[in-house]
Short mmCIF file of all heavy atoms in Angstrom, two decimals:
data_model
loop_
_atom_site.label_atom_id
_atom_site.label_comp_id
_atom_site.label_asym_id
_atom_site.label_seq_id
_atom_site.Cartn_x
_atom_site.Cartn_y
_atom_site.Cartn_z
N PRO N 276 -31.00 9.08 9.30
CA PRO N 276 -29.59 8.99 9.45
C PRO N 276 -29.00 9.67 10.66
O PRO N 276 -28.10 9.44 11.23
CB PRO N 276 -28.98 9.78 8.18
CG PRO N 276 -30.13 10.57 7.72
CD PRO N 276 -31.38 9.90 8.06
N LEU N 277 -29.98 10.61 11.28
CA LEU N 277 -29.59 11.17 12.58
C LEU N 277 -29.22 10.04 13.73
O LEU N 277 -28.45 10.11 14.54
CB LEU N 277 -30.48 12.14 13.14
CG LEU N 277 -30.60 13.48 12.44
CD1 LEU N 277 -32.00 14.14 12.85
CD2 LEU N 277 -29.43 14.29 12.87
N THR N 282 -25.37 12.71 10.30
CA THR N 282 -25.64 13.89 9.87
C THR N 282 -27.05 14.36 10.05
O THR N 282 -27.90 13.52 10.34
CB THR N 282 -25.16 14.19 8.38
OG1 THR N 282 -25.38 15.50 7.94
CG2 THR N 282 -26.10 13.30 7.54
N ASP N 283 -27.42 15.68 9.71
CA ASP N 283 -28.75 16.04 9.54
C ASP N 283 -29.28 15.74 8.19
O ASP N 283 -28.48 15.57 7.24
CB ASP N 283 -28.87 17.56 9.99
CG ASP N 283 -27.98 18.47 9.13
OD1 ASP N 283 -27.68 18.06 7.98
OD2 ASP N 283 -27.74 19.51 9.51
N SER N 284 -30.59 15.82 8.10
CA SER N 284 -31.18 15.40 6.80
C SER N 284 -30.79 16.19 5.55
O SER N 284 -30.82 15.63 4.44
CB SER N 284 -32.64 15.36 6.97
OG SER N 284 -33.12 16.66 7.35
N LYS N 285 -30.44 17.45 5.75
CA LYS N 285 -30.01 18.20 4.56
C LYS N 285 -28.85 17.76 3.88
O LYS N 285 -28.64 18.12 2.74
CB LYS N 285 -29.85 19.69 4.99
CG LYS N 285 -28.62 20.05 5.95
CD LYS N 285 -28.68 21.45 6.27
CE LYS N 285 -27.44 21.69 7.24
NZ LYS N 285 -27.42 23.10 7.64
N SER N 286 -27.95 16.96 4.47
CA SER N 286 -26.75 16.58 3.85
C SER N 286 -27.01 15.16 3.05
O SER N 286 -26.23 14.76 2.40
CB SER N 286 -25.66 16.40 4.78
OG SER N 286 -25.84 15.18 5.63
N VAL N 287 -28.22 14.56 3.33
CA VAL N 287 -28.55 13.31 2.74
C VAL N 287 -29.36 13.54 1.36
O VAL N 287 -30.61 13.73 1.45
CB VAL N 287 -29.20 12.49 3.58
CG1 VAL N 287 -29.40 11.09 2.91
CG2 VAL N 287 -28.51 12.13 4.81
N LYS N 288 -28.63 13.80 0.32
CA LYS N 288 -29.37 14.17 -0.99
C LYS N 288 -29.49 12.83 -1.85
O LYS N 288 -30.53 12.22 -1.92
CB LYS N 288 -28.55 15.20 -1.64
CG LYS N 288 -28.63 16.44 -0.81
CD LYS N 288 -27.85 17.61 -1.43
CE LYS N 288 -27.81 18.83 -0.53
NZ LYS N 288 -27.04 19.85 -1.11
N THR N 289 -28.43 12.45 -2.57
CA THR N 289 -28.34 11.36 -3.44
C THR N 289 -27.11 10.80 -3.29
O THR N 289 -26.05 11.32 -2.77
CB THR N 289 -28.51 11.72 -4.94
OG1 THR N 289 -27.50 12.49 -5.33
CG2 THR N 289 -29.89 12.49 -5.10
N SER N 292 -24.31 12.87 -4.64
CA SER N 292 -24.12 14.25 -4.28
C SER N 292 -23.32 14.35 -2.91
O SER N 292 -22.30 13.67 -2.69
CB SER N 292 -25.45 15.03 -4.13
OG SER N 292 -26.29 14.45 -3.19
N THR N 293 -24.05 15.00 -1.91
CA THR N 293 -23.36 15.07 -0.57
C THR N 293 -23.34 13.81 0.20
O THR N 293 -24.39 13.25 0.38
CB THR N 293 -23.90 16.24 0.21
OG1 THR N 293 -24.02 17.37 -0.62
CG2 THR N 293 -23.22 16.44 1.51
N LEU N 294 -22.25 13.42 0.63
CA LEU N 294 -22.08 12.21 1.40
C LEU N 294 -22.53 12.55 2.91
O LEU N 294 -22.32 13.59 3.39
CB LEU N 294 -20.76 11.66 1.49
CG LEU N 294 -20.15 11.18 0.20
CD1 LEU N 294 -18.73 10.89 0.33
CD2 LEU N 294 -20.85 9.81 -0.18
N MET N 296 -22.36 13.06 6.66
CA MET N 296 -21.10 13.54 7.50
C MET N 296 -20.97 12.63 8.69
O MET N 296 -21.90 12.37 9.44
CB MET N 296 -21.25 15.01 7.79
CG MET N 296 -20.96 15.93 6.61
SD MET N 296 -21.04 17.59 7.14
CE MET N 296 -22.74 18.01 6.82
N ASN N 601 -20.61 20.68 16.28
CA ASN N 601 -21.67 19.79 16.03
C ASN N 601 -21.25 18.40 15.82
O ASN N 601 -21.98 17.52 15.48
CB ASN N 601 -22.41 20.23 14.87
CG ASN N 601 -21.66 20.31 13.55
OD1 ASN N 601 -20.40 19.97 13.65
ND2 ASN N 601 -22.23 20.56 12.43
N GLN N 603 -19.27 17.08 13.65
CA GLN N 603 -19.04 16.67 12.36
C GLN N 603 -17.73 17.00 11.85
O GLN N 603 -17.08 17.88 12.36
CB GLN N 603 -20.11 17.33 11.38
CG GLN N 603 -21.63 16.89 11.72
CD GLN N 603 -22.59 17.60 10.81
OE1 GLN N 603 -22.22 18.45 10.14
NE2 GLN N 603 -23.81 17.07 10.92
N TYR N 605 -14.80 18.42 9.35
CA TYR N 605 -14.61 19.38 8.36
C TYR N 605 -13.23 19.47 7.94
O TYR N 605 -12.32 18.95 8.63
CB TYR N 605 -15.15 20.75 8.82
CG TYR N 605 -16.57 20.86 9.30
CD1 TYR N 605 -17.02 20.56 10.41
CD2 TYR N 605 -17.44 21.30 8.26
CE1 TYR N 605 -18.37 20.61 10.80
CE2 TYR N 605 -18.86 21.37 8.59
CZ TYR N 605 -19.22 21.00 9.88
OH TYR N 605 -20.64 21.06 10.25
#
Side-chain angles (χ1 to χ4, degrees):
L277 282 168
T282 184
D283 54 24
S284 57
K285 68 183 179 182
S286 71
V287 184
K288 297 177 182 176
T289 65
S292 61
T293 305
L294 292 169
M296 283 186 271
N601 58 357
Q603 293 175 354
Y605 297 92

